[in-house]
Short mmCIF file of all heavy atoms in Angstrom, two decimals:
data_model
loop_
_atom_site.label_atom_id
_atom_site.label_comp_id
_atom_site.label_asym_id
_atom_site.label_seq_id
_atom_site.Cartn_x
_atom_site.Cartn_y
_atom_site.Cartn_z
N TYR E 1394 30.31 78.22 0.90
CA TYR E 1394 29.40 78.21 2.02
C TYR E 1394 30.15 78.45 3.21
O TYR E 1394 29.84 79.09 4.13
CB TYR E 1394 28.60 76.92 1.92
CG TYR E 1394 27.51 76.98 3.05
CD1 TYR E 1394 26.32 77.86 2.85
CD2 TYR E 1394 27.64 76.25 4.20
CE1 TYR E 1394 25.49 77.87 3.81
CE2 TYR E 1394 26.76 76.29 5.10
CZ TYR E 1394 25.58 77.14 4.93
OH TYR E 1394 24.67 77.19 6.03
N GLU E 1395 31.22 77.56 3.30
CA GLU E 1395 32.04 77.54 4.65
C GLU E 1395 32.64 78.87 4.76
O GLU E 1395 32.73 79.38 5.96
CB GLU E 1395 33.16 76.46 4.45
CG GLU E 1395 33.63 75.91 5.84
CD GLU E 1395 34.63 74.88 5.60
OE1 GLU E 1395 34.69 74.14 4.56
OE2 GLU E 1395 35.43 74.65 6.51
N ALA E 1396 33.08 79.58 3.64
CA ALA E 1396 33.58 80.90 3.78
C ALA E 1396 32.68 81.95 4.43
O ALA E 1396 32.98 82.69 5.25
CB ALA E 1396 34.07 81.32 2.41
N VAL E 1397 31.47 81.77 3.86
CA VAL E 1397 30.30 82.69 4.41
C VAL E 1397 30.12 82.45 5.91
O VAL E 1397 30.00 83.32 6.77
CB VAL E 1397 29.06 82.46 3.69
CG1 VAL E 1397 27.94 83.25 4.27
CG2 VAL E 1397 29.33 82.95 2.14
N GLN E 1398 30.08 81.21 6.29
CA GLN E 1398 29.94 80.84 7.74
C GLN E 1398 30.99 81.36 8.56
O GLN E 1398 30.75 81.79 9.71
CB GLN E 1398 30.03 79.23 7.72
CG GLN E 1398 28.82 78.53 7.46
CD GLN E 1398 27.88 78.29 8.60
OE1 GLN E 1398 27.13 79.27 8.92
NE2 GLN E 1398 28.03 77.28 9.30
N LEU E 1399 32.29 81.42 8.02
CA LEU E 1399 33.34 81.86 8.89
C LEU E 1399 33.49 83.38 8.83
O LEU E 1399 34.24 83.97 9.41
CB LEU E 1399 34.66 81.36 8.24
CG LEU E 1399 34.77 79.74 8.38
CD1 LEU E 1399 36.00 79.26 7.63
CD2 LEU E 1399 34.90 79.42 9.98
N GLY E 1400 32.53 84.02 8.08
CA GLY E 1400 32.55 85.52 8.20
C GLY E 1400 33.16 86.21 7.02
O GLY E 1400 33.44 87.43 7.04
N ALA E 1401 33.34 85.48 5.85
CA ALA E 1401 33.93 86.12 4.77
C ALA E 1401 32.86 87.00 4.17
O ALA E 1401 31.67 86.63 4.10
CB ALA E 1401 34.42 85.11 3.71
N ALA E 1402 33.33 88.14 3.64
CA ALA E 1402 32.28 89.12 3.14
C ALA E 1402 32.12 88.87 1.63
O ALA E 1402 31.03 89.07 1.05
CB ALA E 1402 32.80 90.53 3.28
N GLY E 1403 33.06 88.25 0.91
CA GLY E 1403 32.94 88.16 -0.50
C GLY E 1403 33.71 86.90 -1.04
O GLY E 1403 34.42 86.22 -0.23
N TYR E 1404 33.51 86.73 -2.27
CA TYR E 1404 34.08 85.45 -2.77
C TYR E 1404 34.23 85.69 -4.28
O TYR E 1404 33.40 86.08 -5.11
CB TYR E 1404 32.86 84.34 -2.60
CG TYR E 1404 33.29 83.02 -3.06
CD1 TYR E 1404 33.82 82.05 -2.30
CD2 TYR E 1404 33.00 82.49 -4.44
CE1 TYR E 1404 34.20 80.83 -2.63
CE2 TYR E 1404 33.23 81.33 -4.71
CZ TYR E 1404 33.78 80.30 -3.97
OH TYR E 1404 34.12 79.13 -4.33
N LEU E 1405 35.48 85.60 -4.83
CA LEU E 1405 35.88 85.82 -6.14
C LEU E 1405 36.55 84.50 -6.78
O LEU E 1405 37.34 83.91 -6.10
CB LEU E 1405 36.79 86.93 -6.29
CG LEU E 1405 36.28 88.34 -5.99
CD1 LEU E 1405 37.39 89.38 -6.07
CD2 LEU E 1405 35.14 88.66 -7.06
N LEU E 1406 36.23 84.25 -7.96
CA LEU E 1406 36.93 83.16 -8.69
C LEU E 1406 38.14 83.77 -9.23
O LEU E 1406 38.31 84.96 -9.49
CB LEU E 1406 36.05 82.62 -9.82
CG LEU E 1406 34.87 81.91 -9.44
CD1 LEU E 1406 34.15 81.45 -10.71
CD2 LEU E 1406 35.31 80.57 -8.74
N LYS E 1407 39.18 83.02 -9.40
CA LYS E 1407 40.58 83.45 -9.97
C LYS E 1407 40.43 83.89 -11.31
O LYS E 1407 41.25 84.56 -11.92
CB LYS E 1407 41.53 82.42 -9.73
CG LYS E 1407 42.03 82.36 -8.20
CD LYS E 1407 43.21 81.41 -8.08
CE LYS E 1407 43.89 81.60 -6.72
NZ LYS E 1407 45.07 80.75 -6.64
N SER E 1408 39.33 83.41 -12.03
CA SER E 1408 39.09 84.01 -13.40
C SER E 1408 38.45 85.23 -13.44
O SER E 1408 37.75 85.51 -14.49
CB SER E 1408 38.44 82.83 -14.29
OG SER E 1408 37.20 82.57 -13.59
N LEU E 1409 38.52 85.96 -12.41
CA LEU E 1409 37.64 87.24 -12.14
C LEU E 1409 37.83 88.22 -13.31
O LEU E 1409 38.86 88.28 -13.94
CB LEU E 1409 37.96 87.88 -10.82
CG LEU E 1409 39.48 88.20 -10.56
CD1 LEU E 1409 39.62 89.70 -11.06
CD2 LEU E 1409 39.73 88.06 -9.18
N ASP E 1410 36.80 88.91 -13.54
CA ASP E 1410 36.85 90.13 -14.35
C ASP E 1410 37.37 91.38 -13.49
O ASP E 1410 36.97 91.39 -12.42
CB ASP E 1410 35.51 90.62 -14.99
CG ASP E 1410 35.14 89.68 -16.14
OD1 ASP E 1410 36.16 89.01 -16.67
OD2 ASP E 1410 34.07 89.54 -16.38
N ALA E 1411 38.07 92.20 -14.09
CA ALA E 1411 38.55 93.42 -13.38
C ALA E 1411 37.54 94.22 -12.83
O ALA E 1411 37.55 94.56 -11.67
CB ALA E 1411 39.62 94.26 -14.20
N SER E 1412 36.35 94.21 -13.59
CA SER E 1412 35.26 95.14 -13.12
C SER E 1412 34.64 94.52 -11.93
O SER E 1412 34.22 95.22 -11.02
CB SER E 1412 34.24 95.19 -14.31
OG SER E 1412 33.85 93.94 -14.69
N GLU E 1413 34.56 93.21 -11.88
CA GLU E 1413 33.97 92.51 -10.70
C GLU E 1413 34.82 92.85 -9.44
O GLU E 1413 34.20 93.07 -8.40
CB GLU E 1413 33.86 90.96 -10.90
CG GLU E 1413 32.95 90.29 -9.93
CD GLU E 1413 32.97 88.75 -10.14
OE1 GLU E 1413 33.50 88.25 -11.16
OE2 GLU E 1413 32.47 88.06 -9.30
N LEU E 1414 36.15 92.78 -9.58
CA LEU E 1414 37.02 93.00 -8.49
C LEU E 1414 36.84 94.51 -7.99
O LEU E 1414 36.66 94.73 -6.82
CB LEU E 1414 38.49 92.75 -8.89
CG LEU E 1414 39.49 93.19 -7.96
CD1 LEU E 1414 39.48 92.30 -6.65
CD2 LEU E 1414 40.97 93.08 -8.57
N PHE E 1415 36.84 95.29 -9.06
CA PHE E 1415 36.75 96.76 -8.66
C PHE E 1415 35.34 97.15 -8.06
O PHE E 1415 35.20 97.93 -7.13
CB PHE E 1415 37.06 97.66 -9.82
CG PHE E 1415 38.57 97.51 -10.26
CD1 PHE E 1415 38.92 97.34 -11.53
CD2 PHE E 1415 39.57 97.58 -9.22
CE1 PHE E 1415 40.32 97.25 -11.82
CE2 PHE E 1415 40.97 97.49 -9.62
CZ PHE E 1415 41.30 97.21 -10.81
N ASP E 1416 34.28 96.50 -8.67
CA ASP E 1416 32.88 96.69 -8.03
C ASP E 1416 32.92 96.34 -6.55
O ASP E 1416 32.40 97.14 -5.81
CB ASP E 1416 31.90 95.94 -8.74
CG ASP E 1416 31.56 96.47 -10.16
OD1 ASP E 1416 32.06 97.58 -10.36
OD2 ASP E 1416 30.79 95.78 -10.89
#
Side-chain angles (χ1 to χ4, degrees):
Chain E
Y1394 186 72
E1395 208 176 334
V1397 170
Q1398 279 273 86
L1399 292 170
Y1404 183 91
L1405 288 174
L1406 289 178
K1407 282 188 165 183
S1408 58
L1409 59 91
D1410 281 339
S1412 59
E1413 195 182 350
L1414 173 64
F1415 292 133
D1416 283 355

